[in-house]
Amino acid sequence: MAPQLKVNGVTGPKKAAAPVAPGKYYPADDVKAPLQNRKAKRNAAPKVRASIAPGSVLILLAGRFRGKRVVALKVLESGLVLVSGPYKVNGVPLRRVSPAYVIATSTSVDVASVDVSSINDAYFARVKSSDEEEFFAGDAPKSAVVSDQRKADQKKVDAALLKVVDATPMLKAYLGARFSLKNNDKPHSMIF
């Protein structure tokens, strides 16, 4: 038995703790844990709500077409949702929309016949123009010109989508109607 050590402290004699036998393994302090990195999360495909699926009817909440009802066609790699009005029904062209700015309704359409496999995020990339001289010249701004490819793609998608919309009763009128709230409407208690 180890002899008891006595330590004289300020308040009198106290028993000292028995010496600790050194262990065989100590964890190293210099092993670095990886730091949290936001860039690593960017590479993963963003999750989209389950209610936003291809074919579901969405209500746009922001932007030029706010209040319009559109049909979701697919979710792009960037996490944005590809939607279309169709253009002939309510004037909304093929667009990318953030899922944070839409309300998903319970209405859905079968969009298996609509071919949007060729449309991705690169399709919507803008052409960079280095016309600084034109910018500083103070001329009238140029109006946006829609390319012939976009017009052709819009017609192709609309043709397939309009067949599905026309087959569903009252859907054309529903998509054409604008969503709005009045003073006493309570959106949190509404079922879309």
Side-chain angles (χ1 to χ4, degrees), residues 49 51-52 56-62 68-70 97-106 174 179 181 187 190-192:
R49 298 194 298 270
S51 57
I52 302 175
S56 59
V57 175
L58 310 174
I59 300 170
L60 301 180
L61 298 177
K68 300 267 188 167
R69 293 182 173 98
V70 295
V97 178
S98 171
Y101 296 106
V102 297
I103 297 174
T105 64
S106 57
Y174 178 66
F179 173 78
L181 294 172
M190 289 181 177
I191 298 172
F192 293 99

Side-chain angles (χ1 to χ4, degrees), residues 2 5 13 24 34 46 56 75 85 97 113 119 125 145 157 168 173 187 190:
L5 300 173
K24 294 181 179 179
S56 59
V75 178
V97 178
S113 61
I119 300 173
V145 178
V157 169
T168 310
M190 289 181 177

Side-chain angles (χ1 to χ4, degrees), residues 73 84 94 114-116 118-119 123 147-160:
L73 299 175
S84 181
L94 282 168
V114 181
D115 179 34
V116 288
S118 63
I119 300 173
Y123 177 83
S147 68
D148 293 334
Q149 180 197 1
R150 283 251 184 127
K151 289 178 185 174
D153 289 342
Q154 183 71 53
K155 284 182 182 176
K156 183 181 78 169
V157 169
D158 272 4

